[in-house]
Amino acid sequence: SKWNKIEHRLFCHITQNWRGRPLTSLQVVINLIRNTTTTQGLEVEARLDPNLYKTGIKVTDQELDTIAIERNSFHGEWNYIIKPKLVT
């Protein structure tokens, strides 16, 4: 997430760790991410998700309206919080 402070702080370190290394397999990518740390001690956990997911699933406007989304006043189309569904 662009606005997740921890991910944002780690992303530059991950890309520096990748620099100059050919990404020849998923395991190479996972290992490069997993071996990234910062001077402040942040570490990354990375693993392959072997699950298969269907593509092309369409969400209707009605289904989307049932999700408790709190949009940020600054670019709410990009910045939002998905909250737990309230049981009524």
Side-chain angles (χ1 to χ4, degrees):
S1 168
K2 181 176 164 182
W3 299 109
N4 181 313
K5 287 179 175 50
I6 298 213
E7 287 179 19
H8 187 70
R9 287 174 49 196
L10 281 171
F11 188 72
C12 64
H13 297 285
I14 291 170
T15 56
Q16 285 176 351
N17 201 23
W18 283 6
R19 194 167 295 159
R21 292 187 176 95
L23 305 178
T24 56
S25 69
L26 286 174
Q27 196 57 51
V28 168
V29 172
I30 291 166
N31 289 340
L32 286 170
I33 293 171
R34 185 182 293 151
N35 292 317
T36 301
T37 59
T38 68
T39 55
Q40 287 85 20
L42 289 175
E43 296 179 2
V44 180
E45 180 181 323
R47 63 181 173 272
L48 180 63
D49 180 355
N51 296 314
L52 296 176
Y53 296 93
K54 286 185 179 180
T55 59
I57 296 173
K58 303 291 182 193
V59 178
T60 66
D61 289 340
Q62 185 179 18
E63 289 172 320
L64 194 57
D65 288 342
T66 65
I67 300 172
I69 297 176
E70 181 181 304
R71 298 192 182 277
N72 189 291
S73 59
F74 179 75
H75 285 288
E77 69 276 17
W78 299 330
N79 304 308
Y80 52 86
I81 297 170
I82 299 176
K83 297 197 167 194
K85 198 174 202 177
L86 298 175
V87 178
T88 56

